[in-house]
Amino acid sequence: MIAQDKNRNLIIGTYTNSCESQGIYVYDFNTKTADFKEKFFSEKTINPSYLTVSNDAKFIYSVNENGSKSTVSAYTFNSKSGALQLVNQQDSKGADPCHIINDAKNLIVATYSGGSISVFKKLLDGSISEAKQVVQHKGKSINAQRQESTHVHMVQFTPDKKFVLANDLGTDKIYIYKYNQNSKNKILEIKDSVAVKAGSGPRHLTFSNDGKFVYLLQELNGGLTVYSCKKGTLKMIQETSVVVPDFKGQIGAADIHVSPNGKFLYATNRGSANTISCFRIQNNGQLELVETVSTDGIGARNFVIDPTGNYLLVAHQYSNSIIIFSINSSTGKLSNSGKRIDLCAPVCLVFDK
């Protein structure tokens, strides 16, 4: 179904230390034609590599990935003009934050090098408090280079908002936390953890549109695991992969999303592959591969599907491009639209609500 207003705000987080970038960019994107126009960019800020928009689209929150000096930033957002205004920043309480989510009360941040989760309260003016809770993971796994310690790579609410799932690439586990939205300092309470295949490195996950299934993408081996999800309990039902047969290059699986119509799942593989795979979601939640195609760039990091399901946009960190693909709504297959946004080191792509 096509939204009545065809123009949506596309908000882009970038790395600012490798080429010329201000930080956060806002584009006007037409969901019918894939035409786009730059509307606004932030004042200079350090590596806002991942961001999240409030449900009322009045605020944007970003990480500032900067080693032990990393912070989390709150901005007011004018969806009409695209203007961002910094409200405040807080210490992320963990090195290199790499993922961020929010709801009406809280902001939750995963820190990669810190191996921890930080929770901040949202205040009435959109600003954020100092961290109210820091959950420190411990452990390692079998890949000596990448899993020498804990690396929390993603936090995600379950659709009912009763739990938060946290992927730890360093320990090969998904941690399941009970979410206490209104608690003062025990917002997250550990419920369980699920071990994945040793050395696989869980990175990102997404839910089926009905919330019954979880799809987990593993960065280090390209594995794609399907779980049933009920009351915060995960049960594995399928294992597949985004790596094509006989591939001999470097694997670096990155991002994963379900199409708005709930029929297809897409997942990227960076490394030396730079591909995106499309899977058909079957009635039992399991996946059937449709195709794997080139993303037509280098460093296929984050991607986003526009709310109408017409286009899929892939951010390429190393070739400084966002490639816009058209989606065939009946087959799920992708075709390069011929349109691209040239931008320094794009990482995170988000449409406002």
Side-chain angles (χ1 to χ4, degrees):
M1 190 174 125
I2 294 177
Q4 286 187 325
D5 184 4
K6 300 179 188 72
N7 283 24
R8 299 292 294 259
N9 285 310
L10 171 65
I11 305 145
I12 305 168
T14 68
Y15 278 120
T16 58
N17 56 1
S18 60
C19 48
E20 197 56 44
S21 171
Q22 285 290 115
I24 301 172
Y25 290 77
V26 181
Y27 281 76
D28 201 35
F29 184 85
N30 187 299
T31 59
K32 196 170 184 182
T33 64
D35 291 336
F36 56 85
K37 183 181 179 182
E38 185 182 287
K39 285 175 78 170
F40 192 85
F41 52 81
S42 65
E43 291 185 20
K44 189 78 173 181
T45 184
I46 297 172
N47 294 339
S49 59
Y50 218 92
L51 47 83
T52 182
V53 183
S54 64
N55 278 331
D56 60 8
K58 292 181 178 178
F59 302 98
I60 289 174
Y61 303 93
S62 83
V63 303
N64 297 98
E65 196 178 326
N66 189 26
S68 60
K69 297 178 181 177
S70 295
T71 57
V72 179
S73 299
Y75 295 86
T76 58
F77 180 56
N78 183 319
S79 58
K80 190 171 183 181
S81 68
L84 291 137
Q85 184 72 43
L86 181 67
V87 182
N88 76 328
Q89 281 184 330
Q90 296 287 3
D91 188 325
S92 61
K93 296 297 182 184
D96 298 319
C98 60
H99 200 269
I100 183 169
I101 56 174
N102 81 100
D103 69 356
K105 298 287 181 71
N106 301 300
L107 192 71
I108 305 175
V109 175
T111 74
Y112 182 84
S113 301
S116 59
I117 305 168
S118 301
V119 186
F120 305 83
K121 287 287 187 184
K122 289 167 66 173
L123 307 177
L124 289 176
D125 62 354
S127 64
I128 49 176
S129 70
E130 293 181 353
K132 293 296 182 186
Q133 183 183 14
V134 178
V135 179
Q136 182 65 54
H137 286 187
K138 294 179 180 178
K140 58 184 179 178
S141 193
I142 63 171
N143 184 321
Q145 281 74 44
R146 296 294 310 279
Q147 298 179 310
E148 78 297 343
S149 66
T150 176
H151 294 300
V152 184
H153 220 312
M154 184 185 206
V155 282
Q156 189 62 271
F157 293 114
T158 54
D160 61 11
K161 297 287 179 76
K162 291 182 179 178
F163 302 94
V164 169
L165 305 186
N167 294 340
D168 195 322
L169 181 145
T171 63
D172 284 322
K173 286 183 179 178
I174 309 169
Y175 292 85
I176 302 162
Y177 290 92
K178 187 183 175 193
Y179 179 54
N180 307 308
Q181 185 191 54
N182 297 309
S183 173
K184 286 188 176 178
N185 54 13
K186 290 187 178 178
I187 298 127
L188 299 179
E189 273 187 296
I190 191 69
K191 174 185 180 286
D192 199 4
S193 66
V194 175
V196 302
K197 189 178 288 182
S200 64
R203 180 184 170 97
H204 280 194
L205 59 76
T206 191
F207 285 84
S208 60
N209 286 4
D210 61 10
K212 292 180 180 178
F213 302 99
V214 172
Y215 302 98
L216 173 72
L217 186 62
Q218 283 101 255
E219 178 173 339
L220 303 181
N221 71 351
L224 179 51
T225 308
V226 184
Y227 298 89
S228 63
C229 180
K230 192 173 184 181
K231 296 181 179 177
T233 298
L234 303 185
K235 183 179 177 183
M236 191 182 81
I237 59 172
Q238 186 190 14
E239 283 189 294
T240 183
S241 178
V242 296
V243 182
V244 297
D246 303 321
F247 178 72
K248 296 290 191 287
Q250 182 188 358
I251 296 168
D255 200 17
I256 183 168
H257 295 286
V258 171
S259 61
N261 64 13
K263 294 179 180 178
F264 303 101
L265 178 136
Y266 298 88
T268 53
N269 185 12
R270 295 168 302 169
S272 53
N274 291 296
T275 56
I276 185 163
S277 297
C278 171
F279 297 84
R280 182 176 288 103
I281 299 175
Q282 300 175 92
N283 290 338
N284 61 2
Q286 294 192 27
L287 301 174
E288 178 188 14
L289 180 65
V290 174
E291 67 171 359
T292 299
V293 298
S294 171
T295 60
D296 297 331
I298 303 169
R301 188 78 176 264
N302 190 219
F303 70 92
V304 69
I305 302 169
D306 90 73
T308 67
N310 288 334
Y311 297 101
L312 185 151
L313 293 75
V314 184
H316 293 94
Q317 181 183 345
Y318 302 123
S319 53
N320 304 316
S321 62
I322 298 165
I323 301 298
I324 303 171
F325 291 88
S326 299
I327 301 175
N328 184 313
S329 59
S330 54
T331 65
K333 290 186 175 182
L334 302 176
S335 56
N336 192 324
S337 70
K339 298 182 179 182
R340 57 184 279 161
I341 301 171
D342 293 308
L343 191 64
C344 163
V347 179
C348 181
L349 306 175
V350 179
F351 282 100
D352 63 358
K353 303 289 191 291

